[in-house]
């Protein structure tokens, strides 16, 4: 697929990697997060996954372990933000990812800003989320990454 960190290789070093997923769109990110190289390439890694209900989240224990081990020995800090659209639970945001970005809740939960100067973005999941996020990010100054024109956003429709 096209959703690889190698696509960002030509860009100047950046501080933050934001990974946005819906449902099974989490799968490609898990393989990336299991690779030691990602942890020294970025200062902060934020994974935001949107699910209908809490029971839909797989790998919660692994994500918790990654968050605990981040930020030490030159490793990136890691924040996993779970958003639920049909369920409410303590520790989870409620709503869809684009709305949570627009009102600032997601950035507040991550503890870092989402800005083109410092961030690269990966989108994977429901095509509606991907398209909405593309539009939202472009309006905020982010550009799509192209082979001949490096940008901030790479996409995989994982549906």
């Amino acid at each position: 697929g096209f959703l690889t960190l190698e696509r960002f290789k030509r860009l100047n070093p950046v501080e933050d990697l934001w990974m946005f997923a819906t449902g099974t769109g989490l799968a490609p990110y898990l393989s990336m997060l299991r690779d030691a190289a990602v942890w020294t390439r970025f200062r902060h890694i934020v994974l935001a996954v949107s699910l209908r209900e809490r029971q839909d989240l797989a790998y919660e224990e692994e994500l918790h372990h990654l968050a605990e081990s981040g930020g030490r020995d030159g490793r990136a800090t890691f924040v996993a933000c779970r958003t639920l659209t049909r369920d409410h639970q303590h520790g989870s945001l409620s709503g869809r990812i684009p709305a949570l970005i627009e009102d600032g809740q997601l950035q507040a939960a991550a503890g870092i800003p989402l800005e083109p100067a410092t961030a690269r973005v990966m989108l994977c999941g429901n095509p509606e989320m991907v398209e909405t996020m593309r539009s939202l990010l472009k309006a905020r100054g982010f550009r799509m990454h192209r082979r001949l024109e490096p940008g901030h956003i790479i996409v995989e429709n994982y549906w």
Side-chain angles (χ1 to χ4, degrees):
F2 294 101
L3 193 72
T4 66
L5 290 171
E6 292 301 310
R7 293 187 60 204
F8 287 140
K9 200 170 190 170
R10 292 181 38 212
L11 299 171
N12 294 331
V14 294
E15 294 183 15
D16 309 326
L17 175 63
W18 288 75
M19 301 170 149
F20 295 100
T22 56
T24 57
L26 173 64
Y29 298 140
L30 289 172
S31 65
M32 290 177 209
L33 293 170
R34 291 173 181 153
D35 182 357
V38 72
W39 296 98
T40 57
R41 186 161 174 205
F42 298 95
R43 185 168 173 206
H44 306 285
I45 299 172
V46 178
L47 171 66
V49 60
S50 181
L51 306 159
R52 290 180 183 154
E53 300 171 343
R54 183 189 189 287
Q55 66 196 29
D56 296 334
L57 180 61
Y59 305 100
E60 192 163 9
E61 188 174 311
E62 182 175 357
L63 296 175
H64 180 73
H65 174 72
L66 290 170
E68 285 184 337
S69 63
R72 295 183 291 200
D73 302 321
R75 287 174 53 98
T77 61
F78 177 71
V79 177
C81 297
R82 176 180 58 233
T83 74
L84 302 175
T85 59
R86 295 186 185 171
D87 202 355
H88 299 283
Q89 180 185 1
H90 179 70
S92 298
L93 297 171
S94 181
R96 299 187 184 277
I97 291 173
L100 295 169
I101 289 173
E102 286 181 345
D103 71 11
Q105 286 186 62
L106 190 58
Q107 299 90 309
I112 61 171
L114 177 58
E115 298 174 341
T118 57
R120 295 301 172 261
V121 175
M122 302 178 95
L123 304 172
C124 186
N126 178 311
E128 183 182 333
M129 181 277 294
V130 169
E131 189 54 41
T132 302
M133 285 293 295
R134 256 192 248 212
S135 297
L136 183 146
L137 293 168
K138 284 180 180 179
R140 291 173 174 238
F142 287 83
R143 293 183 323 276
M144 292 301 299
H145 184 79
R146 309 266 186 245
R147 192 175 340 144
L148 299 175
E149 187 180 335
H152 309 95
I153 308 166
I154 57 175
V155 171
E156 181 89 19
N157 286 326
Y158 201 79
W159 192 249

